[in-house]
Amino acid sequence: MSRERIYLLLALPLIIAAGVLLWKQYVEYYGKPPTAELPMPSQVTLPISPAGAPSASSAALPPQSTSQGGVAVEEVQKHRSAQDEETVKRGKAVPASTLDASLPHQALGDWIAQTAGASARVRWEANHCDQERTQDELPVCAQANVEFSEGTKFQALLLMGSQPLKPHAPVQYGEPSLMWAVYQKPEAAMSPAPLGALQRIAGEAR
């Protein structure tokens, strides 16, 4: 046997062993398909508002404002005659600006109720203007009486027309006019005032 053949026989086991070793390494590293381990998403904890607490969206909204003024409560007289009812209705409908140029063109009844505010009570009545009865006719007036919760009072008297007596006839209504306006604070005397002074009086009485 030649020397080259002997060397080949001796080297063959080494070649086979090296091949087996390489195959094992190949299987170990490449025999399985690589798997990418995706990272698990971290758990997100949402804040929970305690019961009754406003949420972030509602907290961002500005609080709604509420009106503190309001309107005065009207006290209606019982057993008012149809004639008195008509006189009061006409008096409340007179534009405030026709009685006082500084006031808005608004029905007097609405203006008084809104200007006096919720702390006041308003009572309208029909009367004969505190005038003496004449032989032929009676003056007819509508009067607004405002009373505030702390005791201040305000009154306004409007001349609405006259009622013939001889012969007796329905009221003849004319152009309304302001006869007087007065106010009285608790434990004080009655004082004259312009109609527009109700705004100041109401502010001081609240």
Side-chain angles (χ1 to χ4, degrees):
M1 182 179 293
S2 63
R3 183 178 296 177
E4 290 81 7
R5 194 179 182 91
I6 294 174
Y7 288 157
L8 181 59
L9 293 174
L10 293 175
L12 185 58
L14 295 175
I15 295 174
I16 295 173
V20 171
L21 181 61
L22 290 174
W23 180 81
K24 288 182 177 182
Q25 292 179 354
Y26 179 86
V27 171
E28 184 176 347
Y29 288 97
Y30 302 102
K32 297 180 180 179
T35 58
E37 294 183 1
L38 298 178
M40 294 294 292
S42 60
Q43 186 176 1
V44 179
T45 303
L46 297 177
I48 300 176
S49 300
S55 62
S57 59
S58 61
L61 297 176
Q64 295 182 350
S65 61
T66 55
S67 175
Q68 299 296 328
V71 297
V73 177
E74 181 176 354
E75 297 180 348
V76 181
Q77 285 182 311
K78 295 181 179 180
H79 311 297
R80 182 186 288 169
S81 67
Q83 177 178 291
D84 289 352
E85 189 72 35
E86 180 64 20
T87 300
V88 168
K89 179 181 177 181
R90 287 173 176 264
K92 294 170 67 175
V94 174
S97 59
T98 63
L99 305 174
D100 188 328
S102 66
L103 301 183
H105 189 74
Q106 182 182 11
L108 182 62
D110 295 338
W111 180 81
I112 289 179
Q114 294 173 7
T115 304
S119 64
R121 294 175 298 170
V122 179
R123 178 174 52 84
W124 282 85
E125 64 179 75
N127 55 42
H128 294 297
C129 314
D130 296 331
Q131 299 293 320
E132 293 290 338
R133 177 173 178 172
T134 64
Q135 188 175 2
D136 299 327
E137 63 180 16
L138 276 175
V140 175
C141 284
Q143 181 173 330
N145 303 287
V146 182
E147 184 173 355
F148 296 91
S149 57
E150 46 83 58
T152 298
K153 298 178 181 179
F154 179 88
Q155 297 177 350
L157 187 69
L158 279 65
L159 177 62
M160 303 300 299
S162 61
Q163 183 175 19
L165 297 178
K166 292 183 179 181
H168 194 279
V171 176
Q172 297 178 354
Y173 294 102
E175 187 71 22
S177 61
L178 179 66
M179 295 191 67
W180 48 255
V182 295
Y183 77 100
Q184 182 181 25
K185 290 192 174 183
E187 301 180 1
M190 193 79 72
S191 302
L195 185 60
L198 178 60
Q199 295 175 318
R200 174 182 57 83
I201 296 169
E204 295 174 354
R206 290 170 185 164

